[in-house]
Amino acid sequence: QPSEIASDEDIQIENFMKTPEHLAMDACFTAFDKDGDDRLSLAEFTLICRALFRNDKGHIYVVQPDKLEQMFAVFDKNEDGYIDREEFQFCWNQWIKTIVRPVNAFLVVDVQNDFISGSLNISNCSAQQNGIEVIEPINKLLNTVDFDAVFYSLDWHPSDHVSFIDNIKERPLHPTSPLTADNAQVYDTVIFAGPPPMKQRLWPRHCVQDSWGSELHKDLKMVENSIKVYKGTNPEVDSYSVFWDNKKLSDTTLRTQLRAKGVTDVYVCGLAYDVCVGATAIDSLSAGYRTVLIDDCCRGVDLADIDATKQTITTSNGIIVMSREVKAMVEGRDRRPELGYKLVMELKNAESDMIKSRPK
């Protein structure tokens, strides 16, 4: 019985999930309504956050006071300084349940032959990282973690693709391009005339459709019922992200598939950290997903760009973890405040979009 709960330290929020659905929300509300006034103050909401944001060892994550106030304000819809039972219904259904019982997708980005030992072997790039090293930790996750959905992305270029340096003379360059077709080198950036003018980094010919280089590495575990997503298929525009091409002209099948599966959390890893993995994680955050980048399951091209990628993800309310932390997070036993805050901000944005779209 909730009345027997002695303090916030003793409340296991996941235990409410074991209660029949029609009783669980009220039991949780009553447990945290310490003064019995049938509403939750900021201090009582803070106790909920202490119970909610913990790891599987019982460690309580500290949430900054300004973040607590921002989250509280989203649920205090009538702005009276309290969350009443009606307001708590939204908090419970849209926030707490997602945090404790997330729906998780695992996205393995471009673990293809060309990036590991082929024409664009990333160990030849400035960071000198070896792509083969991602396979063992990725396979371990696939063997030990029960993801709700697994996706493998493939760079899948036609032979006349705009990013290939040996195709540079096939399209006119813009007058503002810093390099000409004759003096541009691999990994340089040029500006094609378009229209519209388009910046493009030049790469060796790689991942040509149906070639050996475009195949997923033979040692990468393929799980049943997984989905392959093909990107970079338009010859005129590159596609680093598994969500969109670089110009946001067209999306892949990924967003539709994530929505159909009711995914809340996206775990991203693969090759290359600072190119396709980073672009995918950033687009996942932009699309509203709680996004986790798995550091030891990625290898990259340039150390400075890898650091910049990490910075962008963390400042956008994404998180970066090691693979050993993933299982407890997927199972809802390690619940990070950054992801809770990300979800609140998405709920707030969705609500303001709804208000804007109402007929005046």
Side-chain angles (χ1 to χ4, degrees), residues 105-109 149 151-153 242-243 254 266-270 280:
F106 188 39
L107 183 46
V108 181
V109 177
F151 296 87
Y152 299 89
S153 78
V242 186
F243 284 86
L254 182 61
V266 176
Y267 289 79
V268 186
C269 66
T280 299

Side-chain angles (χ1 to χ4, degrees), residues 127-144:
Q128 298 184 333
Q129 297 186 351
N130 192 339
I132 196 87
E133 292 168 0
V134 304
I135 292 174
E136 186 181 339
I138 290 173
N139 286 352
K140 188 173 181 184
L141 287 173
L142 290 167
N143 284 322
T144 58

Side-chain angles (χ1 to χ4, degrees), residues 1-5:
Q1 294 297 317
S3 59
E4 295 171 3
I5 295 169

Side-chain angles (χ1 to χ4, degrees), residues 283-357:
D283 276 357
S284 175
L285 288 161
S286 299
Y289 293 103
R290 294 166 16 119
T291 303
V292 182
L293 191 147
I294 311 169
D295 188 74
D296 57 324
C297 292
C298 303
R299 294 293 183 274
V301 170
D302 180 271
L303 291 175
D305 290 346
I306 291 170
D307 284 342
T309 297
K310 291 178 180 179
Q311 185 71 25
T312 304
I313 289 164
T314 52
T315 54
S316 306
N317 301 314
I319 61 171
I320 300 168
V321 303
M322 301 300 282
S323 59
R324 65 177 179 274
E325 302 170 78
V326 169
K327 185 176 172 66
M329 293 177 66
V330 165
E331 293 173 357
R333 295 180 291 112
D334 182 354
R335 303 182 293 263
R336 304 295 175 99
E338 299 92 337
L339 300 182
Y341 181 77
K342 166 68 176 169
L343 179 55
V344 169
M345 291 301 105
E346 289 305 316
L347 295 172
K348 181 183 178 181
N349 293 342
E351 201 161 48
S352 62
D353 288 349
M354 206 161 61
I355 290 164
K356 282 178 199 161
S357 64

Side-chain angles (χ1 to χ4, degrees), residues 257-270:
Q257 312 242 34
L258 292 173
R259 207 174 295 124
K261 291 177 180 293
V263 166
T264 59
D265 294 20
V266 176
Y267 289 79
V268 186
C269 66

